Every structure is written in C-alpha cells, then in structure tokens.
Short mmCIF file of all heavy atoms in Angstrom, two decimals:
data_model
loop_
_atom_site.label_atom_id
_atom_site.label_comp_id
_atom_site.label_asym_id
_atom_site.label_seq_id
_atom_site.Cartn_x
_atom_site.Cartn_y
_atom_site.Cartn_z
N ALA A 1463 0.84 -1.19 0.00
CA ALA A 1463 0.00 0.00 0.00
C ALA A 1463 0.87 1.23 0.00
O ALA A 1463 2.04 1.19 0.35
CB ALA A 1463 -0.92 -0.01 1.22
N SER A 1464 0.29 2.34 -0.43
CA SER A 1464 1.01 3.60 -0.45
C SER A 1464 0.23 4.64 0.32
O SER A 1464 -0.93 4.45 0.66
CB SER A 1464 1.21 4.06 -1.90
OG SER A 1464 -0.04 4.21 -2.53
N GLY A 1465 0.85 5.78 0.59
CA GLY A 1465 0.17 6.84 1.31
C GLY A 1465 0.34 6.70 2.81
O GLY A 1465 1.29 6.09 3.29
N ASP A 1466 -0.60 7.26 3.58
CA ASP A 1466 -0.50 7.28 5.03
C ASP A 1466 -0.86 5.92 5.61
O ASP A 1466 -1.97 5.43 5.42
CB ASP A 1466 -1.45 8.32 5.61
CG ASP A 1466 -1.24 9.70 5.01
OD1 ASP A 1466 -0.10 9.97 4.59
OD2 ASP A 1466 -2.19 10.49 4.96
N ARG A 1467 0.06 5.31 6.35
CA ARG A 1467 -0.29 4.08 7.05
C ARG A 1467 -1.21 4.45 8.20
O ARG A 1467 -0.94 5.40 8.94
CB ARG A 1467 0.96 3.38 7.58
CG ARG A 1467 0.65 1.98 8.12
CD ARG A 1467 1.89 1.24 8.56
NE ARG A 1467 1.55 -0.12 8.96
CZ ARG A 1467 1.56 -1.17 8.15
NH1 ARG A 1467 1.88 -1.00 6.88
NH2 ARG A 1467 1.23 -2.37 8.59
N PRO A 1468 -2.31 3.74 8.40
CA PRO A 1468 -3.29 4.18 9.38
C PRO A 1468 -2.78 4.09 10.81
O PRO A 1468 -2.12 3.13 11.21
CB PRO A 1468 -4.46 3.21 9.17
CG PRO A 1468 -3.86 2.01 8.52
CD PRO A 1468 -2.73 2.53 7.69
N THR A 1469 -3.09 5.10 11.59
CA THR A 1469 -2.91 5.10 13.04
C THR A 1469 -4.16 5.69 13.64
O THR A 1469 -4.87 6.45 12.99
CB THR A 1469 -1.68 5.91 13.47
OG1 THR A 1469 -1.78 7.22 12.88
CG2 THR A 1469 -0.40 5.26 13.00
N PHE A 1470 -4.45 5.37 14.90
CA PHE A 1470 -5.78 5.65 15.39
C PHE A 1470 -5.75 6.17 16.81
O PHE A 1470 -4.73 6.21 17.48
CB PHE A 1470 -6.64 4.38 15.34
CG PHE A 1470 -6.56 3.70 14.01
CD1 PHE A 1470 -5.70 2.63 13.82
CD2 PHE A 1470 -7.31 4.15 12.96
CE1 PHE A 1470 -5.61 2.02 12.59
CE2 PHE A 1470 -7.23 3.53 11.72
CZ PHE A 1470 -6.39 2.46 11.54
N GLY A 1471 -6.98 6.54 17.28
CA GLY A 1471 -7.11 7.03 18.64
C GLY A 1471 -6.34 8.32 18.81
O GLY A 1471 -6.48 9.26 18.04
N ASP A 1472 -5.51 8.38 19.84
CA ASP A 1472 -4.72 9.57 20.11
C ASP A 1472 -3.45 9.53 19.27
O ASP A 1472 -2.33 9.69 19.78
CB ASP A 1472 -4.36 9.65 21.59
CG ASP A 1472 -5.58 9.99 22.42
OD1 ASP A 1472 -6.60 10.36 21.84
OD2 ASP A 1472 -5.49 9.88 23.65
N SER A 1473 -3.59 9.34 17.99
CA SER A 1473 -2.43 9.24 17.12
C SER A 1473 -2.86 9.42 15.68
O SER A 1473 -4.02 9.23 15.35
CB SER A 1473 -1.75 7.87 17.30
OG SER A 1473 -0.58 7.80 16.52
N ALA A 1474 -1.93 9.80 14.84
CA ALA A 1474 -2.17 9.90 13.41
C ALA A 1474 -0.84 10.18 12.74
O ALA A 1474 0.06 10.77 13.34
CB ALA A 1474 -3.17 11.02 13.08
N THR A 1475 -0.71 9.73 11.52
CA THR A 1475 0.47 10.04 10.72
C THR A 1475 0.01 10.54 9.37
O THR A 1475 -1.11 10.28 8.93
CB THR A 1475 1.36 8.80 10.53
OG1 THR A 1475 0.61 7.77 9.89
CG2 THR A 1475 1.91 8.31 11.85
N SER A 1476 0.90 11.29 8.70
CA SER A 1476 0.58 11.83 7.39
C SER A 1476 1.83 11.85 6.54
O SER A 1476 2.94 12.12 7.03
CB SER A 1476 0.00 13.24 7.52
OG SER A 1476 -0.21 13.82 6.25
N SER A 1477 1.66 11.61 5.25
CA SER A 1477 2.77 11.72 4.31
C SER A 1477 3.03 13.18 3.95
O SER A 1477 4.03 13.49 3.30
CB SER A 1477 2.48 10.91 3.04
OG SER A 1477 1.27 11.34 2.44
N HIS A 1478 2.14 14.08 4.35
CA HIS A 1478 2.30 15.51 4.09
C HIS A 1478 3.12 16.10 5.24
O HIS A 1478 2.68 16.07 6.40
CB HIS A 1478 0.92 16.17 4.00
CG HIS A 1478 0.94 17.58 3.51
ND1 HIS A 1478 1.33 18.64 4.31
CD2 HIS A 1478 0.59 18.11 2.31
CE1 HIS A 1478 1.20 19.76 3.62
NE2 HIS A 1478 0.77 19.46 2.40
N PRO A 1479 4.31 16.63 5.00
CA PRO A 1479 5.20 17.03 6.10
C PRO A 1479 4.61 18.10 7.01
O PRO A 1479 4.82 18.04 8.23
CB PRO A 1479 6.46 17.53 5.38
CG PRO A 1479 6.06 17.77 3.96
CD PRO A 1479 4.95 16.83 3.68
N GLU A 1480 3.87 19.06 6.45
CA GLU A 1480 3.31 20.11 7.30
C GLU A 1480 2.21 19.55 8.20
O GLU A 1480 2.10 19.93 9.37
CB GLU A 1480 2.78 21.27 6.45
CG GLU A 1480 3.86 22.16 5.87
CD GLU A 1480 4.55 21.55 4.66
OE1 GLU A 1480 4.01 20.57 4.09
OE2 GLU A 1480 5.63 22.03 4.29
N VAL A 1481 1.38 18.65 7.65
CA VAL A 1481 0.36 18.02 8.48
C VAL A 1481 1.02 17.19 9.57
O VAL A 1481 0.62 17.25 10.74
CB VAL A 1481 -0.58 17.14 7.62
CG1 VAL A 1481 -1.54 16.35 8.52
CG2 VAL A 1481 -1.38 18.00 6.65
N GLN A 1482 2.05 16.43 9.22
CA GLN A 1482 2.72 15.60 10.22
C GLN A 1482 3.33 16.45 11.33
O GLN A 1482 3.27 16.10 12.52
CB GLN A 1482 3.79 14.73 9.58
CG GLN A 1482 4.44 13.75 10.54
CD GLN A 1482 3.43 12.79 11.14
OE1 GLN A 1482 2.71 12.11 10.43
NE2 GLN A 1482 3.36 12.76 12.47
N ALA A 1483 3.89 17.59 10.97
CA ALA A 1483 4.48 18.48 11.98
C ALA A 1483 3.42 18.92 12.97
O ALA A 1483 3.66 18.98 14.20
CB ALA A 1483 5.13 19.69 11.31
N GLN A 1484 2.22 19.24 12.49
CA GLN A 1484 1.15 19.68 13.38
C GLN A 1484 0.57 18.51 14.19
O GLN A 1484 0.22 18.67 15.36
CB GLN A 1484 0.05 20.39 12.59
CG GLN A 1484 0.51 21.64 11.87
CD GLN A 1484 1.24 22.61 12.78
OE1 GLN A 1484 0.85 22.82 13.94
NE2 GLN A 1484 2.32 23.19 12.27
N LEU A 1485 0.50 17.33 13.60
CA LEU A 1485 0.04 16.16 14.34
C LEU A 1485 1.00 15.83 15.47
O LEU A 1485 0.59 15.45 16.58
CB LEU A 1485 -0.13 14.96 13.41
CG LEU A 1485 -1.27 15.05 12.40
CD1 LEU A 1485 -1.21 13.88 11.42
CD2 LEU A 1485 -2.63 15.09 13.10
N ASP A 1486 2.30 16.00 15.22
CA ASP A 1486 3.29 15.78 16.28
C ASP A 1486 3.08 16.78 17.42
O ASP A 1486 3.17 16.42 18.60
CB ASP A 1486 4.70 15.91 15.72
CG ASP A 1486 5.08 14.78 14.78
OD1 ASP A 1486 4.42 13.72 14.83
OD2 ASP A 1486 6.03 14.95 13.98
N ARG A 1487 2.81 18.03 17.05
CA ARG A 1487 2.53 19.05 18.08
C ARG A 1487 1.25 18.70 18.85
O ARG A 1487 1.18 18.87 20.07
CB ARG A 1487 2.38 20.43 17.44
CG ARG A 1487 3.64 21.02 16.84
CD ARG A 1487 3.34 22.39 16.26
NE ARG A 1487 3.01 23.35 17.32
CZ ARG A 1487 2.26 24.44 17.14
NH1 ARG A 1487 1.72 24.70 15.96
NH2 ARG A 1487 2.03 25.27 18.14
N LEU A 1488 0.26 18.19 18.11
CA LEU A 1488 -1.01 17.83 18.74
C LEU A 1488 -0.81 16.76 19.79
O LEU A 1488 -1.35 16.82 20.90
CB LEU A 1488 -1.98 17.36 17.65
CG LEU A 1488 -3.40 17.00 18.06
CD1 LEU A 1488 -4.08 18.16 18.75
CD2 LEU A 1488 -4.20 16.58 16.84
N LEU A 1489 0.00 15.76 19.48
CA LEU A 1489 0.26 14.67 20.42
C LEU A 1489 1.04 15.13 21.64
O LEU A 1489 1.01 14.49 22.69
CB LEU A 1489 0.99 13.54 19.72
CG LEU A 1489 0.22 12.83 18.60
CD1 LEU A 1489 1.10 11.79 17.93
CD2 LEU A 1489 -1.03 12.18 19.15
N ALA A 1490 1.75 16.25 21.49
CA ALA A 1490 2.57 16.77 22.59
C ALA A 1490 1.80 17.69 23.53
O ALA A 1490 2.37 18.20 24.50
CB ALA A 1490 3.77 17.52 22.02
N LEU A 1491 0.50 17.89 23.28
CA LEU A 1491 -0.26 18.82 24.11
C LEU A 1491 -0.42 18.33 25.55
O LEU A 1491 -0.67 19.12 26.44
CB LEU A 1491 -1.64 19.08 23.49
CG LEU A 1491 -1.65 19.98 22.25
CD1 LEU A 1491 -3.07 20.11 21.71
CD2 LEU A 1491 -1.09 21.35 22.57
N GLY A 1492 -0.36 17.02 25.74
CA GLY A 1492 -0.24 16.58 27.12
C GLY A 1492 -1.31 15.69 27.69
O GLY A 1492 -1.15 15.16 28.78
N MET A 1493 -2.46 15.52 27.02
CA MET A 1493 -3.51 14.66 27.57
C MET A 1493 -3.79 13.53 26.60
O MET A 1493 -4.34 13.75 25.53
CB MET A 1493 -4.79 15.46 27.83
CG MET A 1493 -4.63 16.50 28.91
SD MET A 1493 -6.20 17.24 29.40
CE MET A 1493 -6.95 15.90 30.29
N GLY A 1494 -3.39 12.32 26.96
CA GLY A 1494 -3.63 11.18 26.10
C GLY A 1494 -4.89 10.45 26.51
O GLY A 1494 -5.43 10.65 27.60
N GLY A 1495 -5.37 9.58 25.65
CA GLY A 1495 -6.53 8.75 25.97
C GLY A 1495 -7.83 9.52 25.92
O GLY A 1495 -7.90 10.70 25.58
N ASP A 1496 -8.91 8.80 26.28
CA ASP A 1496 -10.23 9.40 26.31
C ASP A 1496 -10.38 10.25 27.55
O ASP A 1496 -10.18 9.78 28.68
CB ASP A 1496 -11.31 8.32 26.29
CG ASP A 1496 -11.31 7.53 24.99
OD1 ASP A 1496 -11.16 8.16 23.92
OD2 ASP A 1496 -11.46 6.30 25.04
N VAL A 1497 -10.75 11.52 27.37
CA VAL A 1497 -10.93 12.45 28.47
C VAL A 1497 -12.26 13.15 28.26
O VAL A 1497 -12.48 13.77 27.22
CB VAL A 1497 -9.79 13.50 28.52
CG1 VAL A 1497 -9.99 14.42 29.71
CG2 VAL A 1497 -8.43 12.81 28.60
N LEU A 1498 -13.15 13.05 29.25
CA LEU A 1498 -14.46 13.67 29.12
C LEU A 1498 -14.51 14.99 29.88
O LEU A 1498 -13.78 15.21 30.83
CB LEU A 1498 -15.54 12.72 29.65
CG LEU A 1498 -15.69 11.40 28.90
CD1 LEU A 1498 -16.83 10.57 29.49
CD2 LEU A 1498 -15.91 11.62 27.42
N GLY A 1499 -15.41 15.87 29.46
CA GLY A 1499 -15.58 17.17 30.10
C GLY A 1499 -15.66 18.27 29.06
O GLY A 1499 -15.10 18.16 27.96
N LEU A 1500 -16.36 19.35 29.39
CA LEU A 1500 -16.58 20.43 28.43
C LEU A 1500 -15.74 21.67 28.72
O LEU A 1500 -15.68 22.57 27.87
CB LEU A 1500 -18.07 20.82 28.43
CG LEU A 1500 -19.05 19.68 28.10
CD1 LEU A 1500 -20.47 20.23 28.07
CD2 LEU A 1500 -18.69 19.01 26.79
N ASP A 1501 -15.10 21.74 29.87
CA ASP A 1501 -14.37 22.97 30.24
C ASP A 1501 -13.22 23.26 29.30
O ASP A 1501 -13.05 24.39 28.84
CB ASP A 1501 -13.86 22.87 31.68
CG ASP A 1501 -14.98 22.89 32.70
OD1 ASP A 1501 -16.10 23.29 32.33
OD2 ASP A 1501 -14.74 22.49 33.86
N ARG A 1502 -12.41 22.25 28.99
CA ARG A 1502 -11.22 22.48 28.17
C ARG A 1502 -11.60 22.86 26.74
O ARG A 1502 -11.06 23.83 26.17
CB ARG A 1502 -10.31 21.24 28.17
CG ARG A 1502 -9.65 20.96 29.51
CD ARG A 1502 -8.90 19.64 29.48
NE ARG A 1502 -9.78 18.53 29.12
CZ ARG A 1502 -10.56 17.87 30.00
NH1 ARG A 1502 -10.55 18.22 31.28
NH2 ARG A 1502 -11.33 16.88 29.60
N VAL A 1503 -12.51 22.11 26.14
CA VAL A 1503 -12.88 22.42 24.76
C VAL A 1503 -13.59 23.76 24.68
O VAL A 1503 -13.44 24.50 23.70
CB VAL A 1503 -13.73 21.28 24.15
CG1 VAL A 1503 -15.12 21.22 24.76
CG2 VAL A 1503 -13.80 21.40 22.64
N SER A 1504 -14.35 24.11 25.71
CA SER A 1504 -15.02 25.41 25.73
C SER A 1504 -14.00 26.54 25.79
O SER A 1504 -14.14 27.56 25.08
CB SER A 1504 -15.98 25.51 26.92
OG SER A 1504 -17.04 24.57 26.80
N GLU A 1505 -12.98 26.38 26.63
CA GLU A 1505 -11.95 27.42 26.71
C GLU A 1505 -11.17 27.52 25.40
O GLU A 1505 -10.89 28.63 24.92
CB GLU A 1505 -10.98 27.13 27.86
CG GLU A 1505 -9.88 28.19 27.97
CD GLU A 1505 -8.87 27.92 29.08
OE1 GLU A 1505 -9.17 27.06 29.94
OE2 GLU A 1505 -7.80 28.56 29.07
N LEU A 1506 -10.83 26.38 24.82
CA LEU A 1506 -10.08 26.39 23.56
C LEU A 1506 -10.89 27.08 22.47
O LEU A 1506 -10.37 27.92 21.71
CB LEU A 1506 -9.72 24.97 23.16
CG LEU A 1506 -8.98 24.79 21.83
CD1 LEU A 1506 -7.71 25.62 21.79
CD2 LEU A 1506 -8.68 23.31 21.59
N CYS A 1507 -12.17 26.74 22.37
CA CYS A 1507 -13.00 27.36 21.35
C CYS A 1507 -13.19 28.85 21.62
O CYS A 1507 -13.27 29.66 20.68
CB CYS A 1507 -14.35 26.65 21.25
SG CYS A 1507 -14.26 25.08 20.36
N ALA A 1508 -13.24 29.24 22.90
CA ALA A 1508 -13.34 30.67 23.22
C ALA A 1508 -12.11 31.42 22.71
O ALA A 1508 -12.21 32.54 22.19
CB ALA A 1508 -13.51 30.85 24.73
#
C-alpha cells in the first residue's frame, strides 16, 4: 500500500510534512486517551 499508514485514537500520521508536523505538536499537548468534560474544549473554542 502507499500513502499514510493508518494510526488511530490519540495518534495519526501523514505523508504531508506540514500536516505531520502539526500532528506531532497535537500529540505533545499533554492529555492522552479518552478524556471527558466540556471545560477544556469550551476554553479552547473561546
């Protein structure tokens, strides 16, 4: 197969270097796994 090999959950890879750079930053934000609650997403969207 060619293109992006699938990764899932709190992970993702991309053959596009700029997308991959941002996905790496996304994974470094600090909270892994399933996390419930509206406070964080509400603040981020604000």
Side-chain angles (χ1 to χ4, degrees):
S1464 59
D1466 305 332
R1467 189 176 185 91
T1469 52
F1470 311 97
D1472 289 349
S1473 183
T1475 59
S1476 175
S1477 57
H1478 190 284
E1480 285 77 16
V1481 173
Q1482 185 60 56
Q1484 299 308 320
L1485 291 173
D1486 291 341
R1487 292 181 67 205
L1488 183 57
L1489 296 176
L1491 286 178
M1493 294 189 71
D1496 294 319
V1497 182
L1498 297 182
L1500 303 182
D1501 292 343
R1502 291 173 303 276
V1503 71
S1504 295
E1505 180 182 345
L1506 178 56
C1507 283

